[in-house]
């Protein structure tokens, strides 16, 4: 939902120091009050939150800054909600300057002996951690917090990014009784103010603050806008979704233009052709794409024996993957530059993928940068180019008449596939000679896991055999990264044994962990004791030895956002078991075939007894990467039926 609220255009202003509305004193009634109906299942409840954002001349910093004041009161409803006393507040870098946090205050309130006991947050309990060159985090934990407590916090953030106003999140992962946000907008700043999400505002107020700010000796007016939303349900996250902030109720401020004190107008909302030109002229973006000469000496040996564009592109992709190690820093711009990143064998996303694009172009393979907003970062603006929406860059290479999407940051990611973090609807191709355009961010290769078991039931006591598990697509990337996170493959296999306690692994091996263009597989020789499943001479046996679906990933009564898998997905179980001659199948689950409308998904459960061999095959085929809101109910029922079917057992009985 995208609702245009207002567009502001006022004379230039400056702002006198302002504060959000103070929280009223905590009352006995608040501590003992019943939980409102819309928050019955919540672990915590926001009773009231206030925010205020404005421009101020901050004397201590001798600068014009965006100042954001925030205070909130939260009631802890359950023991699980005690973690709400832990706060992490991110602070970001803008050029050489960082956001700063100040005036942090916190209090916890408990009912003790029919009196309200107040405990204050100690100043030495506040820590500022430098997590990266671009992000710091303020951390603190309020004391004496338990089930039934009320906690208050307040703080102020000073931001040097005066061209970006605060987004206010009305809806979050716990419900709120009341949320109030006040924006004081400079008169010469023109914003498009937009409410997104499923819930409407309870109230909106506006007023003009006369002579509110003095700049260069001139007093000016401001526009004060106050937005209120009441009884806000918690946003419930579920599997297979994009960033929650794409769907929660929030208010956004998009700066379109502003006036300097000289009277000249600066337009911020630009056309894509303006953004293209700026990016390609930027030293850390377009300037890196011009460095094709760096690869001239490398390419002849690298491409020797490679005849097609695809072969050459694969070789270059592998070279960049192995030469520049990702430092885990996102970015659309190069951090060190191609030359230095190649020399020091490390770089951020921009360093790696801009180097890949330059190398491909040096080999006469047309390639372009594609701006991406990662899944956790949210969807980019559709209506206007907002360059700050994008936090990542990948490559697009023209090979055999199609654009192949490339991200070389992960050494275990195959050519032509995107890691899940990049699969976020669409990216923007930045061409050098024509206007940029949107391109879908899709993985054509499906994710796939196949369990194949060949074994023998030697009695009613033990099942022995060989289990092969093969992985492709996103499942292979996930599994490869899991494996290499252990010091050795042996330690990974030892850990795997702890996750399948009912199965004894006699021997094991892994194939193609680093051969990323090959199928990843785990080979396990296993034994499964079945004596606990024998009752009155009948063995109850389930042939789905691993990875059965025990919990429905879709449980919401209504899901207001689409299901996004990242790719199509297939999971198959193939089981072949040799039965003893004196054992017969007394009963077996009925075969089942299910299909969703338009073949959106398919489920097959088939078994047969041929002589003494029991064969079983199950396939779950999700034939779409994305399912709409209208398809959610069908998908939910689809998984419910699968779970029911997977709980059914075969009954095996001796004939003598």
């Amino acid at each position: 939902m995208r609702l245009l609220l207002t567009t502001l255009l006022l004379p230039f202003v400056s702002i006198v120091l302002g504060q959000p509305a103070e929280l009223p004193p905590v009352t006995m009634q608040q501590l003992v009050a019943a939980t409102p109906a819309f928050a019955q299942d919540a672990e915590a409840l926001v009773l009231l939150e206030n925010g205020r954002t404005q421009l101020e001349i901050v004397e201590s910093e001798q600068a014009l800054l965006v100042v954001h004041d925030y205070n909130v009161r939260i009631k802890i409803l359950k023991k699980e909600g005690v973690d709400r006393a832990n706060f992490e507040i991110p602070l970001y870098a803008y050029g050489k300057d960082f956001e700063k946090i100040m005036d942090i205050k916190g209090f916890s309130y408990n009912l003790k002996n029919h009196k309200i006991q107040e405990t204050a947050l100690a100043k030495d309990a506040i820590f500022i951690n430098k997590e990266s060159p671009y992000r710091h985090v303020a951390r603190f934990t309020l004391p004496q917090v338990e089930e039934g407590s009320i906690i208050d916090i307040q703080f102020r953030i000073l931001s040097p990014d005066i061209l970006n106003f605060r987004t206010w999140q009305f809806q979050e992962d716990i419900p709120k009784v009341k949320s109030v946000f006040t924006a004081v907008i400079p008169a010469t700043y023109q914003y498009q103010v937009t409410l997104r999400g499923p819930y409407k505002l309870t109230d909106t107020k506006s007023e003009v603050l006369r002579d509110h700010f003095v700049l260069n000796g001139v007093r000016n007016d401001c526009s004060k806008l106050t937005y209120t939303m009441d009884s806000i349900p918690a946003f419930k996250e579920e599997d297979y979704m994009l960033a929650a902030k794409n769907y929660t109720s929030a208010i956004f401020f998009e700066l379109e233009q502003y006036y300097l004190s000289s009277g000249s107008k600066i337009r911020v909302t630009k056309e894509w052709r303006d953004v293209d030109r700026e990016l390609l002229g930027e030293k850390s973006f377009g300037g890196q794409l011009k460095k094709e000469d760096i690869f001239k000496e490398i390419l002849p040996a690298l491409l020797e024996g490679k005849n097609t564009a695809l072969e050459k592109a694969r070789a270059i992709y592998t070279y960049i993957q192995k030469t520049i190690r990702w430092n885990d820093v996102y970015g659309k711009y190069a951090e060190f530059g191609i030359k230095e990143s190649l020399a020091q064998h490390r770089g951020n996303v921009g360093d790696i993928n801009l180097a890949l694009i330059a190398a491909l172009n040096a080999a006469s393979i047309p390639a372009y940068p594609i701006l991406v907003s990662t899944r956790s970062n949210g969807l980019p603006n559709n209506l206007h180019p907002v360059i700050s929406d994008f936090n990542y860059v990948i490559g697009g290479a023209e090979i055999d008449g199609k654009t192949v999407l490339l991200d070389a940051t992960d050494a275990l990611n195959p050519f032509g596939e995107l890691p899940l973090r990049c699969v976020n609807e669409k990216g923007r191709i930045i061409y050098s000679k024509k206007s940029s355009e949107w391109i879908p961010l899709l993985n054509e290769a499906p994710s796939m896991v196949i369990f194949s078991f060949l074994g023998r039931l030697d009695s009613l006591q033990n099942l022995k055999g060989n289990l092969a598990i093969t992985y492709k697509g996103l499942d292979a990337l996930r599994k490869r990264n899991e494996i290499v996170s252990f010091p050795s493959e042996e330690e990974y296999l030892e850990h795997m044994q702890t996750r399948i306690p009912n199965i004894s692994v006699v021997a094991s091996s892994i194939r193609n962990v680093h051969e990323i263009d090959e199928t990843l597989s785990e080979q396990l020789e296993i034994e499964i004791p079945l004596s606990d499943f024998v009752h009155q001479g009948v063995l109850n046996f389930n042939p789905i030895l691993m990875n059965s679906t025990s919990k429905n990933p879709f449980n919401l009564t209504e899901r207001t956002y689409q299901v996004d898998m990242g790719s199509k997905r297939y999971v198959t179980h193939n089981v072949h078991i040799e039965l003893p001659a004196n054992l017969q199948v007394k009963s077996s689950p009925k075969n089942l075939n299910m299909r969703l409308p338009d073949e959106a998904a398919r489920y097959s459960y088939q078994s047969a007894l041929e002589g003494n061999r029991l064969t079983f095959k199950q396939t779950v085929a999700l034939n779409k990467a994305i399912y709409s809101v209208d398809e959610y109910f069908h998908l939910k029922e689809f998984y419910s039926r699968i779970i029911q079917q997977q709980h059914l057992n075969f009954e095996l009985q001796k004939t003598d």
Side-chain angles (χ1 to χ4, degrees):
M1 178 179 181
R2 188 175 173 92
L3 174 64
L4 181 63
L5 298 179
T6 184
T7 298
L8 306 172
L9 182 56
L10 305 169
F12 184 72
V13 302
S14 227
I15 299 170
V16 177
L17 189 68
Q19 296 280 357
E22 292 289 333
L23 294 173
V26 172
T27 65
M28 190 80 70
Q29 175 62 27
Q30 288 177 324
L31 283 163
V32 301
T35 303
F38 72 93
Q40 285 299 313
D41 297 329
E43 62 184 33
L45 172 67
V46 172
L47 300 178
L48 175 63
E49 73 171 347
N50 294 308
R52 178 182 175 117
T53 300
Q54 57 190 13
L55 282 176
E56 294 183 9
I57 292 180
V58 181
E59 293 184 4
S60 61
E61 302 294 323
Q62 295 184 341
L64 178 63
L65 302 173
V66 175
V67 177
H68 179 64
D69 290 295
Y70 179 78
N71 57 47
V72 64
R73 173 167 294 163
I74 303 173
K75 186 173 182 180
I76 309 302
L77 303 178
K78 298 178 181 179
K79 290 181 179 179
E80 296 83 359
V82 171
D83 287 343
R84 297 288 168 172
N86 302 321
F87 288 88
E88 294 188 356
I89 303 166
L91 306 167
Y92 298 100
Y94 295 93
K96 297 181 179 179
D97 298 321
F98 250 98
E99 292 181 324
K100 295 182 180 179
I101 189 167
M102 58 190 298
D103 299 337
I104 300 175
K105 295 180 182 179
F107 302 91
S108 58
Y109 303 90
N110 292 288
L111 190 59
K112 302 293 182 181
N113 299 321
H114 305 289
K115 294 183 178 180
I116 299 175
Q117 176 182 295
E118 176 187 296
T119 308
L121 172 69
K123 291 188 180 298
D124 60 6
I126 302 170
F127 305 93
I128 308 294
N129 300 116
K130 298 179 180 180
E131 300 206 334
S132 81
Y134 311 101
R135 185 176 186 267
H136 295 173
V137 177
R139 289 186 170 90
F140 54 90
T141 299
L142 295 185
Q144 304 297 320
V145 177
E146 58 192 38
E147 184 177 353
S149 298
I150 286 177
I151 58 177
D152 286 358
I153 66 160
Q154 68 179 55
F155 57 83
R156 164 171 284 196
I157 291 177
L158 308 179
S159 175
D161 186 22
I162 63 173
L163 298 185
N164 286 304
F165 221 65
R166 281 270 166 176
T167 293
W168 180 260
Q169 293 286 340
F170 287 106
Q171 188 183 24
E172 296 182 283
D173 61 343
I174 59 173
K176 299 178 181 181
V177 175
K178 181 182 286 292
S179 179
V180 182
F181 178 63
T182 299
V184 180
I185 306 293
T188 52
Y189 280 62
Q190 180 177 337
Y191 285 90
Q192 180 173 273
V193 186
T194 307
L195 176 69
R196 302 179 195 169
Y199 301 105
K200 296 181 179 180
L201 293 169
T202 306
D203 187 34
T204 304
K205 295 179 180 178
S206 63
E207 62 178 295
V208 176
L209 304 179
R210 300 295 182 186
D211 298 331
H212 191 64
F213 180 60
V214 180
L215 182 65
N216 297 328
V218 179
R219 292 185 176 275
N220 294 278
D221 298 340
C222 285
S223 178
K224 178 183 176 183
L225 302 172
T226 302
Y227 305 97
T228 302
M229 189 176 288
D230 296 336
S231 303
I232 312 165
F235 178 79
K236 295 183 179 180
E237 294 193 21
E238 201 172 46
D239 290 342
Y240 308 115
M241 59 176 282
L242 303 180
K245 62 183 177 182
N246 295 321
Y247 315 112
T248 54
S249 290
I251 197 161
F252 296 80
F253 296 81
E254 183 183 344
L255 182 61
E256 296 179 330
Q257 63 185 34
Y258 64 97
Y259 289 87
L260 300 176
S261 56
S262 63
S264 59
K265 181 172 67 174
I266 305 297
R267 183 167 179 80
V268 176
T269 301
K270 303 177 181 179
E271 301 295 330
W272 267 110
R273 60 176 177 269
D274 301 319
V275 174
D276 299 344
R277 184 171 57 253
E278 289 180 12
L279 283 170
L280 293 172
E282 172 66 42
K283 179 181 178 181
S284 57
F285 190 89
Q288 300 304 308
L289 300 176
K290 298 175 182 178
K291 298 183 180 295
E292 297 179 21
D293 288 347
I294 294 175
F295 300 98
K296 293 298 184 183
E297 294 182 4
I298 302 170
L299 289 177
L302 185 63
L303 303 182
E304 185 177 1
K306 309 296 189 299
N307 299 315
T308 67
L310 180 59
E311 291 174 335
K312 293 176 181 179
R314 283 182 177 274
I316 292 171
Y317 177 84
T318 301
Y319 169 78
I320 296 295
Q321 267 188 320
K322 293 182 177 180
T323 305
I324 307 177
R325 182 178 179 182
W326 183 31
N327 62 5
D328 294 327
V329 176
Y330 287 6
K332 53 185 172 284
Y333 302 110
E335 181 178 359
F336 305 108
I338 293 175
K339 187 174 182 179
E340 185 177 343
S341 294
L342 288 168
Q344 66 182 5
H345 303 294
R346 70 182 180 96
N348 75 341
V349 168
D351 290 313
I352 294 169
N353 286 331
L354 294 177
L356 172 63
I357 295 161
L360 289 168
N361 281 315
S364 299
I365 300 172
Y368 318 99
I370 300 174
L371 297 181
V372 170
S373 175
T374 56
R375 282 170 88 95
S376 61
N377 191 55
L379 295 171
N381 191 304
N382 281 328
L383 300 180
H384 307 289
V386 181
I387 194 63
S388 59
D389 281 355
F390 300 92
N391 64 333
Y392 205 97
V393 63
I394 63 173
E398 295 297 328
I399 301 173
D400 299 332
K402 61 183 294 188
T403 302
V404 180
L405 305 180
L406 300 170
D407 179 11
T409 57
D410 193 326
L412 299 175
N413 188 51
F415 179 90
E417 296 183 25
L418 293 179
L420 186 60
R421 62 178 172 268
C422 294
V423 184
N424 195 32
E425 287 201 2
K426 58 187 177 182
R428 188 80 182 187
I429 303 180
I430 307 298
Y431 296 106
S432 60
K433 296 181 180 179
K434 62 176 180 177
S435 178
S436 61
E437 64 182 37
W438 294 105
I439 183 172
L441 298 173
L442 300 173
N443 271 324
E444 293 187 1
S447 296
M448 188 177 298
V449 184
I450 301 174
F451 298 86
S452 299
F453 178 74
L454 179 61
R456 182 174 183 274
L457 184 62
D458 57 7
S459 68
L460 288 183
Q461 304 299 318
N462 290 290
L463 177 64
K464 300 179 181 180
N466 295 305
L467 175 64
I469 312 172
T470 58
Y471 305 87
K472 294 182 180 180
L474 285 175
D475 278 306
L477 178 60
R478 174 190 56 79
K479 178 56 68 172
R480 283 188 167 103
N481 277 304
E482 179 186 354
I483 293 170
V484 301
S485 69
F486 288 84
S488 66
E489 290 183 9
E490 290 74 18
E491 290 185 62
Y492 161 74
L493 291 167
E494 289 176 7
H495 173 75
M496 185 180 65
Q497 174 68 82
T498 66
R499 293 161 50 187
I500 48 174
N502 297 324
I503 299 176
S504 176
V505 180
V506 179
S508 58
S509 64
I510 309 174
R511 299 175 184 171
N512 301 324
V513 174
H514 297 282
E515 294 74 27
I516 59 177
D517 291 323
E518 303 295 329
T519 299
L520 173 67
S521 69
E522 296 173 310
Q523 307 290 325
L524 309 175
E525 182 183 345
I526 63 174
E527 292 184 4
I528 306 175
L530 299 175
S531 57
D532 290 343
F533 302 98
V534 178
H535 301 282
Q536 298 180 349
V538 177
L539 169 63
N540 289 289
F541 173 68
N542 194 315
I544 305 173
L545 307 179
M546 291 178 63
N547 202 49
S548 63
T549 305
S550 58
K551 181 181 178 181
N552 195 328
F554 308 113
N555 288 303
L556 298 179
T557 304
E558 180 183 17
R559 178 160 163 161
T560 58
Y561 49 93
Q562 64 191 18
V563 174
D564 192 317
M565 303 278 183
S567 69
K568 298 176 183 178
R569 191 160 192 266
Y570 306 103
V571 180
T572 300
H573 289 79
N574 291 310
V575 176
H576 301 269
I577 300 175
E578 203 72 36
L579 302 178
N582 64 341
L583 201 65
Q584 67 177 8
V585 178
K586 179 182 178 183
S587 66
S588 61
K590 292 182 178 180
N591 292 340
L592 176 65
N593 285 292
M594 291 192 301
R595 287 176 171 80
L596 291 190
D598 302 321
E599 290 286 332
R602 179 175 55 82
Y603 176 70
S604 175
Y605 184 106
Q606 304 289 322
S607 67
L609 183 64
E610 301 173 357
N612 289 330
R613 171 170 286 197
L614 175 64
T615 62
F616 165 78
K617 183 175 183 178
Q618 176 190 256
T619 300
V620 180
L622 300 172
N623 296 322
K624 298 174 65 175
I626 298 174
Y627 292 86
S628 69
V629 171
D630 292 336
E631 294 175 297
Y632 179 74
F633 177 76
H634 296 295
L635 201 58
K636 180 179 178 180
E637 289 298 309
F638 180 75
Y639 266 89
S640 294
R641 291 287 305 276
I642 290 175
I643 293 170
Q644 293 173 15
Q645 188 72 15
Q646 289 186 351
H647 277 99
L648 300 177
N649 293 328
F650 287 77
E651 290 187 340
L652 308 179
Q653 187 176 38
K654 287 185 177 181
T655 57
D656 54 10

